[in-house]
Amino acid sequence: MNKMIKFILVIILCISTNFSFAQTQFEMNKEAGGNYLKADKELNLIYNKILKEYKSDTEFIKNLKASQIIWIKFRDSEMKVKFPDREVGYYGSIQPVCRYSYLEKLTKIRINDLKVWLTGIEEGDVCSGSVKMKE
């Protein structure tokens, strides 16, 4: 095959590949919402595992629950700062994607912050507080 035919085939392949991934705004909103819900579900699983694993430490559990309530208020306040109430259409049609993406980001940060109570800290960390040591 000569170089020109190869070049044309590559161009056609690239164009057809790009079109196959096109999404409507509704589909992008749905996907972003699904990604956030997946992260939220993971957060709830980790939170419940911590509650179960540390159930004998009632003071810790009381403080974890208070912390989670405050984190939810923080998350909601962050969303209001990022997207203050404005007239309909102010942020454009992409706003649901942006909103869900930011919710997902905040949730994943919280997941990583909470995971330490399940994974533990290396022995010798004198500042481990209530976090268990790794086995």
Side-chain angles (χ1 to χ4, degrees):
M1 225 186 286
N2 70 30
K3 289 181 181 181
M4 182 55 92
I5 293 174
K6 285 182 183 178
F7 177 75
I8 291 171
L9 287 174
V10 168
I11 295 296
I12 291 171
L13 181 62
C14 289
I15 291 171
S16 66
T17 301
N18 286 338
F19 287 125
S20 68
F21 291 109
Q23 290 181 302
T24 66
Q25 188 64 58
F26 174 78
E27 291 168 332
M28 289 189 298
N29 295 349
K30 186 176 175 182
E31 181 178 346
N35 291 340
Y36 162 64
L37 290 176
K38 182 179 173 186
D40 189 57
K41 183 177 180 178
E42 181 181 359
L43 174 63
N44 287 311
L45 287 171
I46 289 168
Y47 177 78
N48 285 313
K49 282 182 183 178
I50 294 169
L51 290 175
K52 184 177 178 183
E53 193 162 319
Y54 287 79
K55 67 183 173 192
S56 63
D57 188 344
T58 55
E59 188 65 19
F60 169 79
I61 295 296
K62 179 181 85 171
N63 292 327
L64 175 66
K65 288 178 178 180
S67 173
Q68 191 65 9
I69 290 168
I70 292 168
W71 178 81
I72 290 168
K73 289 178 183 178
F74 164 78
R75 179 202 63 196
D76 294 347
S77 294
E78 276 294 297
M79 295 307 298
K80 288 180 181 181
V81 168
K82 184 87 167 177
F83 300 107
D85 290 337
R86 305 275 193 232
E87 64 275 0
V88 174
Y90 181 86
Y91 298 108
S93 61
I94 195 71
Q95 194 268 345
V97 171
C98 299
R99 187 176 189 287
Y100 284 130
S101 295
Y102 195 51
L103 280 167
E104 179 186 8
K105 177 182 176 181
L106 293 172
T107 302
K108 285 183 174 183
I109 291 169
R110 182 64 173 168
I111 288 168
N112 287 331
D113 290 345
L114 289 178
K115 276 185 178 179
V116 71
W117 273 275
L118 296 175
T119 59
I121 293 179
E122 294 294 329
E123 189 170 340
D125 183 342
V126 296
C127 296
S128 62
S130 61
V131 179
K132 68 181 182 178
M133 295 295 151
K134 286 185 178 180
E135 296 176 2

Coordinates of all heavy atoms in Angstrom, one line a residue, residues 72-117:
I72 N -19.8 16.6 56.0 CA -20.9 16.7 55.0 C -21.3 18.2 54.9 O -21.6 18.7 53.8 CB -22.1 15.8 55.5 CG1 -21.8 14.4 55.3 CG2 -23.4 16.2 54.7 CD1 -22.7 13.4 55.9
K73 N -21.3 18.9 56.1 CA -21.6 20.3 56.0 C -20.5 21.1 55.3 O -20.8 22.0 54.5 CB -21.8 20.9 57.5 CG -23.0 20.4 58.2 CD -23.1 20.9 59.6 CE -24.3 20.4 60.3 NZ -24.4 20.8 61.7
F74 N -19.3 20.7 55.5 CA -18.2 21.3 54.7 C -18.3 21.1 53.2 O -18.2 22.0 52.4 CB -16.8 20.7 55.2 CG -15.7 21.0 54.3 CD1 -15.1 22.2 54.3 CD2 -15.2 20.0 53.4 CE1 -14.0 22.5 53.4 CE2 -14.2 20.2 52.5 CZ -13.6 21.5 52.5
R75 N -18.6 19.8 52.9 CA -18.8 19.5 51.4 C -19.9 20.3 50.8 O -19.7 20.9 49.8 CB -19.1 18.0 51.3 CG -19.4 17.5 49.9 CD -20.2 16.3 49.8 NE -21.6 16.5 50.4 CZ -22.4 15.6 50.7 NH1 -22.0 14.3 50.6 NH2 -23.6 15.8 51.2
D76 N -21.0 20.4 51.5 CA -22.2 21.2 51.0 C -21.8 22.7 50.9 O -22.2 23.3 49.9 CB -23.4 21.0 51.9 CG -23.9 19.5 51.8 OD1 -23.5 18.8 50.9 OD2 -24.8 19.2 52.6
S77 N -21.1 23.2 51.9 CA -20.6 24.6 51.8 C -19.7 24.8 50.7 O -19.7 25.9 50.0 CB -20.0 25.0 53.2 OG -20.9 24.9 54.2
E78 N -18.8 23.9 50.5 CA -17.8 24.0 49.3 C -18.6 24.1 48.0 O -18.2 24.8 47.1 CB -16.9 22.8 49.3 CG -15.7 22.9 50.2 CD -14.7 24.0 49.7 OE1 -14.2 23.9 48.6 OE2 -14.5 24.9 50.5
M79 N -19.6 23.3 47.9 CA -20.4 23.3 46.7 C -21.1 24.7 46.5 O -21.2 25.2 45.4 CB -21.5 22.2 46.7 CG -20.9 20.8 46.6 SD -19.7 20.5 45.3 CE -20.7 20.8 43.9
K80 N -21.5 25.3 47.6 CA -22.2 26.6 47.5 C -21.2 27.7 47.1 O -21.5 28.7 46.5 CB -22.9 26.9 48.8 CG -24.1 26.1 49.0 CD -24.8 26.5 50.3 CE -26.1 25.7 50.5 NZ -26.8 26.0 51.7
V81 N -19.9 27.5 47.6 CA -18.9 28.4 47.2 C -18.5 28.3 45.7 O -18.4 29.3 45.0 CB -17.6 28.2 48.1 CG1 -16.4 29.0 47.6 CG2 -17.9 28.6 49.5
K82 N -18.4 27.0 45.3 CA -18.0 26.7 43.9 C -19.1 27.2 43.0 O -18.8 27.7 41.9 CB -17.7 25.2 43.8 CG -17.2 24.8 42.5 CD -15.7 24.9 42.4 CE -15.2 24.2 41.1 NZ -13.8 24.3 41.0
F83 N -20.3 26.9 43.3 CA -21.5 27.2 42.5 C -22.6 27.9 43.3 O -23.6 27.3 43.6 CB -22.1 25.9 41.9 CG -21.1 25.2 41.0 CD1 -20.5 24.0 41.5 CD2 -20.7 25.6 39.8 CE1 -19.6 23.3 40.7 CE2 -19.8 24.9 39.0 CZ -19.2 23.8 39.4
P84 N -22.3 29.2 43.6 CA -23.4 30.0 44.3 C -24.7 30.0 43.5 O -24.7 29.8 42.3 CB -22.8 31.4 44.4 CG -21.3 31.2 44.1 CD -21.2 30.0 43.3
D85 N -25.8 30.1 44.2 CA -27.1 30.2 43.5 C -27.1 31.4 42.6 O -26.8 32.5 42.9 CB -28.2 30.4 44.6 CG -28.4 29.1 45.4 OD1 -28.0 28.0 44.9 OD2 -29.0 29.2 46.5
R86 N -27.4 31.1 41.3 CA -27.5 32.1 40.3 C -28.7 31.8 39.4 O -29.4 30.7 39.6 CB -26.3 32.0 39.3 CG -24.9 32.1 40.0 CD -24.6 33.6 40.2 NE -23.2 33.7 40.6 CZ -22.7 34.3 41.6 NH1 -23.6 35.0 42.4 NH2 -21.5 34.4 41.9
E87 N -29.0 32.7 38.5 CA -30.2 32.4 37.7 C -30.0 31.2 36.8 O -28.8 30.8 36.5 CB -30.5 33.7 36.8 CG -29.4 34.0 35.8 CD -28.3 34.9 36.3 OE1 -28.3 35.3 37.5 OE2 -27.4 35.2 35.6
V88 N -31.0 30.6 36.4 CA -31.0 29.3 35.6 C -30.2 29.6 34.3 O -30.3 30.6 33.7 CB -32.4 28.9 35.2 CG1 -32.3 27.7 34.3 CG2 -33.2 28.5 36.5
G89 N -29.2 28.7 34.0 CA -28.4 28.8 32.9 C -27.1 29.6 33.1 O -26.3 29.7 32.1
Y90 N -26.9 30.2 34.2 CA -25.7 31.0 34.5 C -24.4 30.2 34.2 O -23.5 30.8 33.7 CB -25.8 31.5 35.9 CG -24.6 32.4 36.3 CD1 -24.7 33.7 36.1 CD2 -23.5 31.8 36.9 CE1 -23.6 34.6 36.4 CE2 -22.4 32.6 37.3 CZ -22.5 34.0 37.0 OH -21.4 34.8 37.4
Y91 N -24.4 29.0 34.7 CA -23.2 28.2 34.5 C -23.1 27.4 33.2 O -22.2 26.7 33.0 CB -23.0 27.2 35.7 CG -22.9 28.0 37.0 CD1 -23.9 28.0 38.0 CD2 -21.7 28.7 37.3 CE1 -23.8 28.7 39.2 CE2 -21.6 29.4 38.5 CZ -22.6 29.4 39.5 OH -22.5 30.1 40.6
G92 N -24.2 27.4 32.5 CA -24.2 26.7 31.2 C -24.7 25.3 31.4 O -24.9 24.8 32.5
S93 N -24.8 24.6 30.3 CA -25.3 23.2 30.3 C -24.4 22.2 30.9 O -24.7 21.1 31.3 CB -25.7 22.8 28.9 OG -24.6 22.8 28.0
I94 N -23.1 22.6 31.0 CA -22.1 21.7 31.5 C -22.1 21.7 33.0 O -21.4 20.8 33.7 CB -20.7 22.1 30.9 CG1 -19.7 20.9 31.2 CG2 -20.2 23.3 31.6 CD1 -19.9 19.7 30.3
Q95 N -22.8 22.6 33.7 CA -22.8 22.7 35.1 C -23.0 21.4 35.9 O -22.3 21.2 36.8 CB -23.7 23.8 35.6 CG -23.6 24.3 37.0 CD -24.4 23.5 38.0 OE1 -25.4 22.9 37.6 NE2 -24.1 23.7 39.3
P96 N -24.0 20.6 35.5 CA -24.2 19.3 36.2 C -22.9 18.5 36.2 O -22.6 17.9 37.2 CB -25.4 18.7 35.5 CG -26.1 19.8 34.9 CD -25.1 20.8 34.5
V97 N -22.2 18.4 35.1 CA -21.0 17.6 35.0 C -20.0 18.2 36.0 O -19.3 17.5 36.7 CB -20.5 17.6 33.6 CG1 -19.1 17.0 33.5 CG2 -21.4 16.8 32.6
C98 N -19.8 19.5 35.9 CA -18.8 20.2 36.8 C -19.2 19.9 38.3 O -18.3 19.7 39.1 CB -18.8 21.6 36.5 SG -18.3 22.0 34.8
R99 N -20.5 20.1 38.6 CA -20.9 19.9 40.0 C -20.7 18.5 40.5 O -20.1 18.3 41.5 CB -22.4 20.2 40.1 CG -23.0 20.2 41.5 CD -24.4 20.7 41.5 NE -24.9 20.9 42.8 CZ -25.1 19.9 43.7 NH1 -24.9 18.6 43.4 NH2 -25.5 20.1 44.9
Y100 N -21.1 17.5 39.7 CA -20.8 16.1 40.1 C -19.3 15.8 40.2 O -18.9 15.0 41.1 CB -21.5 15.1 39.1 CG -23.0 15.0 39.3 CD1 -23.8 15.1 38.2 CD2 -23.6 14.8 40.5 CE1 -25.2 15.0 38.3 CE2 -24.9 14.7 40.6 CZ -25.8 14.8 39.5 OH -27.1 14.7 39.7
S101 N -18.6 16.3 39.3 CA -17.1 16.1 39.3 C -16.5 16.6 40.6 O -15.6 16.0 41.2 CB -16.4 16.7 38.1 OG -16.9 16.1 36.9
Y102 N -16.9 17.8 41.0 CA -16.4 18.4 42.2 C -16.8 17.6 43.4 O -16.0 17.4 44.3 CB -16.8 19.9 42.3 CG -16.0 20.6 43.3 CD1 -14.6 20.6 43.3 CD2 -16.6 21.4 44.3 CE1 -13.8 21.3 44.3 CE2 -15.9 22.1 45.3 CZ -14.5 22.0 45.3 OH -13.8 22.7 46.2
L103 N -18.1 17.2 43.4 CA -18.6 16.3 44.5 C -17.8 15.0 44.6 O -17.4 14.6 45.7 CB -20.0 16.0 44.3 CG -21.1 17.0 44.7 CD1 -22.4 16.7 44.2 CD2 -21.1 17.2 46.3
E104 N -17.5 14.5 43.4 CA -16.7 13.2 43.4 C -15.3 13.5 43.9 O -14.7 12.7 44.7 CB -16.6 12.7 42.0 CG -15.8 11.5 41.8 CD -15.6 11.0 40.4 OE1 -15.9 11.7 39.5 OE2 -15.0 9.9 40.2
K105 N -14.7 14.6 43.5 CA -13.3 15.0 44.0 C -13.3 15.1 45.5 O -12.4 14.5 46.2 CB -12.9 16.3 43.4 CG -11.5 16.7 43.8 CD -11.2 18.1 43.2 CE -9.9 18.6 43.7 NZ -9.5 19.9 43.1
L106 N -14.2 15.9 46.1 CA -14.3 16.0 47.6 C -14.5 14.7 48.3 O -13.9 14.4 49.3 CB -15.4 17.0 47.9 CG -15.2 18.5 47.5 CD1 -16.5 19.3 47.7 CD2 -14.0 19.1 48.2
T107 N -15.3 13.9 47.7 CA -15.6 12.6 48.3 C -14.4 11.7 48.3 O -14.1 11.0 49.3 CB -16.8 11.9 47.6 OG1 -18.0 12.8 47.7 CG2 -17.2 10.6 48.2
K108 N -13.7 11.7 47.2 CA -12.5 10.8 47.1 C -11.4 11.3 48.1 O -10.7 10.5 48.7 CB -11.9 10.8 45.7 CG -12.8 9.9 44.8 CD -12.2 9.9 43.4 CE -13.0 8.9 42.5 NZ -12.4 8.7 41.2
I109 N -11.3 12.6 48.3 CA -10.4 13.1 49.4 C -10.8 12.6 50.7 O -9.9 12.1 51.5 CB -10.3 14.6 49.3 CG1 -9.7 15.1 48.1 CG2 -9.6 15.2 50.6 CD1 -9.8 16.6 47.8
R110 N -12.1 12.6 51.0 CA -12.6 12.1 52.3 C -12.3 10.6 52.4 O -11.9 10.1 53.5 CB -14.1 12.4 52.5 CG -14.7 12.0 53.8 CD -14.0 12.7 55.0 NE -14.8 12.3 56.2 CZ -14.3 12.6 57.4 NH1 -13.2 13.3 57.6 NH2 -15.0 12.3 58.5
I111 N -12.5 9.9 51.3 CA -12.3 8.4 51.3 C -10.8 8.2 51.7 O -10.5 7.3 52.6 CB -12.6 7.8 50.0 CG1 -14.1 7.7 49.7 CG2 -11.9 6.4 49.8 CD1 -14.5 7.4 48.3
N112 N -9.9 8.9 51.1 CA -8.5 8.7 51.4 C -8.1 9.1 52.8 O -7.3 8.4 53.5 CB -7.6 9.5 50.4 CG -7.6 8.9 49.1 OD1 -7.7 7.7 48.9 ND2 -7.4 9.7 48.1
D113 N -8.8 10.1 53.4 CA -8.6 10.5 54.7 C -9.1 9.4 55.7 O -8.4 9.2 56.8 CB -9.3 11.8 55.0 CG -8.6 13.0 54.3 OD1 -7.5 12.9 53.9 OD2 -9.3 14.1 54.3
L114 N -10.2 8.8 55.4 CA -10.8 7.8 56.3 C -10.1 6.4 56.2 O -10.0 5.7 57.2 CB -12.3 7.6 56.1 CG -13.2 8.8 56.5 CD1 -14.6 8.5 56.1 CD2 -13.0 9.1 58.0
K115 N -9.5 6.1 55.1 CA -8.9 4.8 54.8 C -7.8 4.5 55.8 O -7.6 3.3 56.1 CB -8.4 4.7 53.4 CG -9.4 4.3 52.4 CD -8.8 4.0 51.1 CE -9.8 3.6 50.1 NZ -9.2 3.4 48.7
V116 N -7.2 5.5 56.3 CA -6.0 5.3 57.2 C -6.5 4.5 58.5 O -5.7 3.7 59.1 CB -5.3 6.6 57.6 CG1 -6.2 7.4 58.5 CG2 -4.0 6.3 58.2
W117 N -7.8 4.7 58.9 CA -8.2 3.9 60.1 C -8.4 2.5 59.8 O -8.5 1.6 60.7 CB -9.5 4.6 60.6 CG -9.2 5.7 61.6 CD1 -9.0 5.5 62.9 CD2 -9.1 7.1 61.3 NE1 -8.7 6.7 63.5 CE2 -8.7 7.7 62.5 CE3 -9.2 7.8 60.2 CZ2 -8.5 9.1 62.6 CZ3 -9.0 9.2 60.2 CH2 -8.6 9.8 61.5

